[in-house]
Amino acid sequence: MAWLCKLLPLAQVDLMEFASISFLSFIMITSITPGPNNISSASMGMLLGYRKTLNYLLGISTGFFLLMLVCSLLSTSLLHYAPSAQQYLKYVGASYIIWLAWKTLSASYAADAAGQQLASYTRGLTLQVVNPKGLVYGLTIFTTFLTGTNGDYLVLISWVIFLALVCFACTSTWALFGALIQKYMRNQKIKFGINVMLSLALIYTALDIAGFLG
């Protein structure tokens, strides 16, 4: 993880905090699992190819950056004016992650309806306005995992940039391998096995942040 410290030298990233299994698991699993961004990106990739989908992916990433920025500022205000809320927010975050685990277990990888959209930058950007998963995801991160960075705006903006880059990487993966994902996700055994592993990882994350794992 040393590359991240070099990439964000001014952010004074706490390497041990960043390397947290729970934090990494939450970010990677929730970013790569099916949702409006990933499913629509897969559809665009299958219909138009990656190059013609790139503007749409950039629109998603820009919108996601703005969404995470709003979440970080909301979290900072909440923890500043109601610091006692922090001890309860971890349980709210854990509950949300448990809910995500349940949804992941039964996740569908179908992308029929989303494929009817046009792959424009504007459509990718505005998709974030109606993306409740992204909103709750951002609030969970900044009120549960990154509470120590609230108030330090340089650190917050660094994390917002990092999360937007993760978003771009994941939507690009779905766009590039959309056809392949669709092919193999028709196999119910493979789909169920993947969903079970991801769900268990999310449950572990929820128990860890709630303090049940010591």
Side-chain angles (χ1 to χ4, degrees):
M1 301 299 175
W3 62 272
L4 183 64
C5 295
K6 294 179 180 179
L7 181 63
L8 305 173
L10 297 177
Q12 298 178 351
V13 177
D14 185 331
L15 185 57
M16 294 306 295
E17 179 182 26
F18 177 78
S20 164
I21 294 177
S22 297
F23 187 31
L24 285 176
S25 296
F26 179 73
I27 288 179
M28 299 312 300
I29 294 172
T30 52
S31 296
I32 202 65
T33 48
N37 292 339
N38 290 336
I39 294 298
S40 60
S41 297
S43 295
M44 298 302 172
M46 286 185 283
L47 290 173
L48 305 172
Y50 182 78
R51 287 188 178 181
K52 292 183 179 180
T53 307
L54 185 57
N55 281 340
Y56 182 73
L57 301 179
L58 291 174
I60 287 178
S61 299
T62 302
F64 195 76
F65 169 84
L66 296 174
L67 182 62
M68 291 301 101
L69 185 61
V70 169
C71 289
S72 69
L73 295 176
L74 285 175
S75 301
T76 297
S77 298
L78 176 62
L79 295 176
H80 175 73
Y81 292 106
S84 60
Q86 182 177 340
Q87 59 181 318
Y88 303 106
L89 288 172
K90 68 178 182 179
Y91 296 113
V92 175
S95 299
Y96 167 64
I97 296 171
I98 291 292
W99 178 81
L100 276 181
W102 169 251
K103 298 297 289 185
T104 298
L105 186 63
S106 57
S108 169
Y109 293 77
D112 298 335
Q116 298 175 5
Q117 302 180 60
L118 294 177
S120 68
Y121 178 88
T122 303
R123 286 183 179 272
L125 179 68
T126 55
L127 178 61
Q128 306 316 300
V129 177
V130 292
N131 184 4
K133 177 183 177 181
L135 177 63
V136 181
Y137 165 83
L139 290 174
T140 300
I141 284 180
F142 289 104
T143 60
T144 304
F145 294 103
L146 297 177
T147 55
T149 64
N150 287 312
D152 190 330
Y153 293 105
L154 182 59
V155 174
L156 286 176
I157 196 67
S158 298
W159 279 114
V160 168
I161 292 171
F162 172 73
L163 293 171
L165 290 174
V166 171
C167 174
F168 179 76
C170 291
T171 52
S172 290
T173 298
W174 276 77
L176 284 168
F177 299 104
L180 184 64
I181 290 172
Q182 284 295 96
K183 177 182 177 181
Y184 286 102
M185 286 304 101
R186 293 193 184 100
N187 185 313
Q188 293 300 311
K189 290 184 178 179
I190 294 177
K191 184 180 77 170
F192 183 71
I194 292 174
N195 288 354
V196 167
M197 289 188 292
L198 293 174
S199 297
L200 290 175
L202 284 172
I203 290 172
Y204 171 87
T205 298
L207 294 175
D208 188 33
I209 66 171
F212 294 127
L213 299 181

